[in-house]
Amino acid sequence: MNTDESIAKSTSSLPQPVIGKRPASPLSFPATESRSKSSKRTHSPSPALLSTSVTFSATGYPTNLSSRQKSSFSTSASSSASDSENRGPPKLVANPMTSKVPLATRQAMLTIMYDAFKDLYHTFHPALPVIAHNDALAQEAEVYAKSNKATYKNAMITSIAAIKKRPIPNAPSHPSVGSDATRAQRAVKKTPNYDSYTLSRNDVEPLLLKEETMRLYRFPMEVPSVQGGTRPHSYGEEFLCDRCGERAVIKHDDGLQSCQFHWGRPIKSSAGGQTNKIYACCSAPFPSSPGCQFGPHVFVEKAIEELHSRHPFTQSTSVERSTNLEIATIDCEGVYTTQGMSVARVSVCDADGKVVFDELVRPDDGVEVIDFNTRFSGVTSLSSADLDLEGIRRALDALIGPQTVIIGHAVENDLMMLRMIHHRLVDTIILYPSPFGLPYKRSLRALASEYLGRSIQTGGETAGHSSTEDALATLDLVKHHVRDRSRKKP
């Protein structure tokens, strides 16, 4: 089951939140309260609608009504929508005894989420405010169903940040409109089936990175001339912490309270006609707010010479083998260690999308894990890892030969963690560049959502990312690019 189907299935049985004192049928709207003591008005669908069996689209609009019935529905809906807007943000009604999260917390987060939808839908919200109202309720219900008391708030913050990053829709039918599950269901119907298409070497040869591009993006190009592996770890040395920016002594047993940091990046937020930056993790103002999370101090090194001193770089094998793949899509996950950011999981899929390699990586001798970085790595333990990095590289020699084309997203990071020099590369960062140019790069999550209609990296704090999921999404993005390019040819 793919990610979209699993999201849709996991939310299909959710109870719909109730607005007001009693549930409303799909075609009934709450009566408006009197605007003055001397006048009362209520709005309800016409009798023609009440006697009709109605089916609804993904955005909540009827699809099988006559022109007259549609007109009646539109009039009733717009009137009720205006009343909904007058009420302000949607009110969550649930049993406080059975809710796993305090209702006050849920209502506060729902209100923030509603504001995000309202801002996203600003081009049509004045005429159709009910859409933001309903989508906020649906999205909150989806997040609530997939979280617990400890993870709910951060899951909502992440979801709100993702809503703010969606492209601005110009109509209710736009792909940006809807809750995650609704959009996933729509995308499943519209997205081509990439499983049936196998990339060929002819497809990817025109996409290979040129040397100047690789140097621009700081790919590892040559093995450093100095001896490698001379400083395998830096336990007890002082570095700038990669999280809080303070100088700290690196220890794997430093405790979980030494570093206070924000795990989310600064993002733009619009409110009251002003645009400010906030942290995506907690919506606190950037840069003055204290960190929202505690953990150990960690460090990261990026220069190839520094990485080479930790574990030596080597060229990918020059030996052709019958088991070599023509195309290999690769994704690595990393954890914080006394060596810096160390590879902890490696996944490879072939041109068909079949996962042919998926292994955890044991740290080098003498290297200790400081933090598993689970929110992003998806790794919680390496106790079952059989191979260290040297063993992983030997195993990859059977799959990646001198003519193999490696596909990745920001694949220079994967090569850095693997300490591998390889020049036949395709990178989705280059295929789908940011409109703002370097140093900005589009995330794999955003690309998968926009071009594949797929939600990935939704594991949150406890499950994190999946390198197999990311590798398959990267492969399908290349397939999408190849198909799109072939359609545009004269």
Side-chain angles (χ1 to χ4, degrees), residues 17-19 88-94 101-118 131-144 152-153 156-157 159-160 163:
V18 181
I19 305 301
K91 300 297 187 291
L92 186 69
V93 177
V101 178
L103 292 189
T105 300
R106 291 183 65 187
Q107 181 61 57
M109 297 308 299
L110 173 62
T111 299
I112 298 172
M113 179 170 277
Y114 167 76
D115 288 339
F117 274 115
K118 181 179 177 180
I131 301 180
H133 184 276
N134 291 347
D135 286 351
L137 284 168
Q139 183 72 15
E140 191 279 338
E142 293 167 22
V143 173
Y144 174 80
Y152 171 81
K153 187 173 181 179
M156 282 291 287
I157 290 169
S159 180
I160 292 166
I163 292 167

Side-chain angles (χ1 to χ4, degrees), residues 189-247:
K189 297 176 182 177
K190 294 181 178 180
T191 304
N193 179 14
Y194 292 107
D195 293 341
S196 61
Y197 183 73
T198 301
L199 278 180
S200 69
R201 184 171 288 176
N202 289 336
D203 288 329
V204 297
E205 285 282 350
L207 309 179
L208 291 176
L209 298 182
K210 293 179 170 43
E211 180 180 341
E212 56 267 29
T213 302
M214 288 191 279
R215 293 195 184 279
L216 177 65
Y217 282 80
R218 299 184 178 181
F219 279 69
M221 299 295 292
E222 302 93 10
V223 176
S225 57
V226 298
Q227 183 180 353
T230 56
R231 297 173 59 234
H233 65 80
S234 286
Y235 181 84
E237 296 182 28
E238 189 176 76
F239 285 87
L240 279 179
C241 177
D242 186 54
R243 288 169 163 169
C244 67
E246 297 180 2
R247 295 200 69 82

Side-chain angles (χ1 to χ4, degrees), residues 4-331:
D4 294 333
E5 292 172 333
S6 64
I7 292 176
K9 187 172 182 180
S10 67
T11 58
S12 61
S13 59
L14 287 176
Q16 295 298 314
V18 181
I19 305 301
K21 297 182 179 180
R22 56 191 174 89
S25 69
L27 284 179
S28 65
F29 295 87
T32 60
E33 296 182 3
S34 64
R35 299 176 186 260
S36 68
K37 292 183 179 181
S38 61
S39 173
K40 290 185 178 181
R41 293 182 60 190
T42 59
H43 301 279
S44 60
S46 69
L49 279 176
L50 295 176
S51 61
T52 303
S53 176
V54 183
T55 58
F56 288 82
S57 69
T59 53
Y61 292 95
T63 59
N64 64 333
L65 301 182
S66 67
S67 299
R68 183 176 180 182
Q69 289 171 331
K70 286 180 180 178
S71 175
S72 177
F73 178 88
S74 175
T75 301
S76 177
S78 61
S79 298
S80 297
S82 298
D83 295 333
S84 174
E85 183 181 35
N86 291 336
R87 287 201 309 269
K91 300 297 187 291
L92 186 69
V93 177
N95 188 340
M97 301 299 293
T98 58
S99 179
K100 57 193 176 186
V101 178
L103 292 189
T105 300
R106 291 183 65 187
Q107 181 61 57
M109 297 308 299
L110 173 62
T111 299
I112 298 172
M113 179 170 277
Y114 167 76
D115 288 339
F117 274 115
K118 181 179 177 180
D119 185 55
L120 177 68
Y121 300 163
H122 69 269
T123 57
F124 55 81
H125 178 77
L128 295 167
V130 70
I131 301 180
H133 184 276
N134 291 347
D135 286 351
L137 284 168
Q139 183 72 15
E140 191 279 338
E142 293 167 22
V143 173
Y144 174 80
K146 294 186 289 184
S147 57
N148 55 43
K149 184 177 181 179
T151 63
Y152 171 81
K153 187 173 181 179
N154 277 340
M156 282 291 287
I157 290 169
T158 301
S159 180
I160 292 166
I163 292 167
K164 292 180 177 181
K165 292 180 180 179
R166 293 185 192 178
I168 301 297
N170 55 11
S173 58
H174 192 277
S176 288
V177 176
S179 68
D180 284 347
T182 299
R183 296 170 70 224
Q185 289 171 325
R186 269 200 317 259
V188 167
K189 297 176 182 177
K190 294 181 178 180
T191 304
N193 179 14
Y194 292 107
D195 293 341
S196 61
Y197 183 73
T198 301
L199 278 180
S200 69
R201 184 171 288 176
N202 289 336
D203 288 329
V204 297
E205 285 282 350
L207 309 179
L208 291 176
L209 298 182
K210 293 179 170 43
E211 180 180 341
E212 56 267 29
T213 302
M214 288 191 279
R215 293 195 184 279
L216 177 65
Y217 282 80
R218 299 184 178 181
F219 279 69
M221 299 295 292
E222 302 93 10
V223 176
S225 57
V226 298
Q227 183 180 353
T230 56
R231 297 173 59 234
H233 65 80
S234 286
Y235 181 84
E237 296 182 28
E238 189 176 76
F239 285 87
L240 279 179
C241 177
D242 186 54
R243 288 169 163 169
C244 67
E246 297 180 2
R247 295 200 69 82
V249 174
I250 300 302
K251 298 179 180 179
H252 72 276
D253 53 359
D254 196 25
L256 296 178
Q257 304 299 317
S258 58
C259 176
Q260 185 176 3
F261 63 99
H262 290 282
W263 58 262
R265 295 179 179 180
I267 60 173
K268 290 183 179 180
S269 175
S270 299
Q274 293 184 334
T275 299
N276 300 298
K277 281 191 174 183
I278 61 173
Y279 288 102
C281 49
C282 61
S283 297
F286 169 85
S288 58
S289 303
C292 60
Q293 191 164 334
F294 291 89
H297 291 294
V298 296
F299 76 104
V300 172
E301 293 173 324
K302 297 180 180 180
I304 186 171
E305 293 78 14
E306 294 173 336
L307 296 173
H308 184 64
S309 72
R310 303 297 183 184
H311 187 107
F313 277 82
T314 56
Q315 189 78 33
S316 58
T317 182
S318 60
V319 179
E320 292 274 10
R321 302 186 185 184
S322 60
T323 54
N324 288 166
L325 301 172
E326 282 195 349
I327 296 170
T329 304
I330 195 165
D331 189 81

Side-chain angles (χ1 to χ4, degrees), residues 389-467:
L389 180 52
E390 188 175 345
I392 291 289
R393 286 294 307 278
R394 285 196 299 269
L396 289 177
D397 284 345
L399 301 173
I400 299 173
Q403 295 303 311
T404 300
V405 175
I406 295 180
I407 294 173
H409 182 80
V411 70
E412 77 276 11
N413 294 326
D414 301 300
L415 296 177
M416 292 284 199
M417 281 200 281
L418 290 170
R419 305 298 198 268
M420 179 188 289
I421 305 295
H422 192 85
H423 294 159
R424 291 177 59 78
L425 304 166
V426 173
D427 197 327
T428 47
I429 285 285
I430 313 297
L431 298 182
Y432 299 91
S434 168
F436 303 107
L438 287 175
Y440 300 101
K441 300 176 182 179
R442 301 197 66 187
S443 70
L444 181 61
R445 180 175 182 173
L447 293 175
S449 175
E450 180 175 347
Y451 293 100
L452 306 178
R454 187 181 307 174
S455 296
I456 63 170
Q457 302 174 352
T458 58
E461 184 176 8
T462 56
H465 299 187
S466 165
S467 52

